[in-house]
Amino acid sequence: MFAMLANPAAFTEGLAGGEPEPGLVSNAANGTPASRFLQAELELNAHLRRLSFSEPVRYVYNPLDYAWDTHRCYVEKYCLPGQRVLFLGMNPGPFGMAQTGVPFGEVRSVVDWLKILGEVGRPDEEHPKRRITGLSCTQSEVSGARFWGFFRKLCGEPTRFFQHCFVHNLCPLIFMSATGKNLTPPELPAAEREALLSLCDSALCQVVQALNVSMVIGVGRVAEQRARRALSAAGVDVRVEGIMHPSPRNPLANKGWEGVARAKLEELGVLSLLSSS
């Protein structure tokens, strides 16, 4: 069954013209948001494998490969019918989704609040300073801790948040330099960046239509702008808004990200959907 898929490559080989594992295609097309979402991601993965990257990129990790087990757990548990809001990040952080397979996936939030289970493997090539230790990772990702910590306080239980919302990253890849420095997609060479993001844009349009959300909220200006441009160009009728990114690189976020996020979500009419009070 599609829900039991442990190796994403098995499905994408089928998309490329080979024979997929029995039952995968029929279950992927069964109409559930989770199955449609996973199919879109697997199709994106098949395209991303054909890309190559030059300096300053030396290492590329794809948690949708080696952390597929936990990622699939997240999607199947929380990608539900009736969700109207899609929070959209840009790409994984080295101590977040890169370790857990979950967007903004700070380990303690993923394990203790979201209750995600599964095995996390390792990429083929790892930077010695950026090892993947999965759900055993002891380093906290500040952005993820702020993001999920805010919604934990606001909602109480994950079911309240995911009744209305889902969280996704535009790009599933994480890039590192020779020193292990995290490189965001805007820092890639222009031609490589556009080849990458054009594929991610197409996948985003597919995801938004498959999930039938009415609002996309970019977490950070880059994600917001990219989503607005991609969805508008594709003629996808969806409202695109944005909230401040919780990154510690952002001085304003360090002065009180939760207050800024709360005010913006209230302005957008989302806060009332999520508050447990």
Side-chain angles (χ1 to χ4, degrees):
M1 289 171 39
F2 186 71
M4 297 302 293
L5 178 61
N7 179 9
F11 187 75
T12 50
E13 286 168 5
L15 293 170
E19 289 298 322
E21 294 180 12
L24 293 185
V25 173
S26 61
N27 283 308
N30 69 3
T32 68
S35 63
R36 293 195 300 266
F37 185 88
L38 290 169
Q39 184 180 36
E41 290 195 307
L42 290 167
E43 291 173 356
L44 176 61
N45 256 7
H47 293 300
L48 292 178
R49 289 193 185 97
R50 302 187 184 108
L51 299 181
S52 59
F53 300 92
S54 59
E55 294 291 345
V57 175
R58 291 288 293 275
Y59 296 85
V60 181
Y61 294 4
N62 185 354
L64 297 192
D65 279 331
Y66 62 82
W68 178 255
D69 199 25
T70 50
H71 180 74
R72 186 195 63 211
C73 177
Y74 163 72
V75 173
E76 292 181 342
K77 190 171 186 176
Y78 292 123
C79 187
L80 305 171
Q83 291 169 327
R84 308 305 293 168
V85 178
L86 181 68
F87 285 92
L88 183 73
M90 191 64 198
N91 74 310
F95 303 108
M97 185 174 178
Q99 300 290 340
T100 65
V102 176
F104 293 94
E106 190 261 344
V107 176
R108 294 277 60 83
S109 298
V110 167
V111 174
D112 296 341
W113 195 53
L114 299 180
K115 307 294 185 186
I116 298 302
L117 303 172
E119 297 295 324
V120 177
R122 299 171 75 169
D124 292 336
E125 294 185 37
E126 286 182 284
H127 191 285
K129 294 181 181 178
R130 294 289 181 263
R131 299 290 188 192
I132 298 301
T133 55
L135 301 183
S136 300
C137 179
T138 57
Q139 186 156 345
S140 176
E141 182 187 67
V142 174
S143 293
R146 285 175 175 169
F147 183 86
W148 289 118
F150 169 65
F151 288 113
R152 184 174 188 170
K153 282 190 248 182
L154 186 65
C155 300
E157 295 298 326
T159 49
R160 179 177 291 273
F161 176 82
F162 289 104
Q163 180 182 352
H164 304 285
C165 305
F166 192 62
V167 184
H168 175 50
N169 274 333
L170 177 69
C171 172
L173 304 182
I174 177 171
F175 305 92
M176 281 163 279
S177 70
T179 64
K181 179 182 182 289
N182 183 40
L183 300 169
T184 62
E187 296 174 276
L188 304 181
E192 296 172 11
R193 178 180 67 242
E194 287 311 307
L196 166 72
L197 292 181
S198 65
L199 293 173
C200 296
D201 288 348
S202 296
L204 174 64
C205 294
Q206 186 179 351
V207 161
V208 168
Q209 291 177 305
L211 301 186
N212 196 32
V213 296
S214 57
M215 184 187 298
V216 174
I217 300 178
V219 184
R221 188 164 307 216
V222 176
E224 177 189 353
Q225 291 175 343
R226 194 80 202 187
R228 180 172 286 113
R229 185 170 73 174
L231 293 163
S232 174
V236 179
D237 184 18
V238 63
R239 181 182 177 187
V240 179
E241 299 287 350
I243 61 171
M244 181 191 294
H245 199 286
S247 170
R249 294 184 183 183
N250 181 352
L252 292 177
N254 293 333
K255 293 179 180 178
W257 179 80
E258 286 193 6
V260 175
R262 178 183 289 271
K264 185 63 177 182
L265 293 178
E266 184 170 23
E267 176 189 323
L268 297 177
V270 175
L271 192 70
S272 60
L273 299 176
L274 302 179
S275 177
S276 60
S277 60

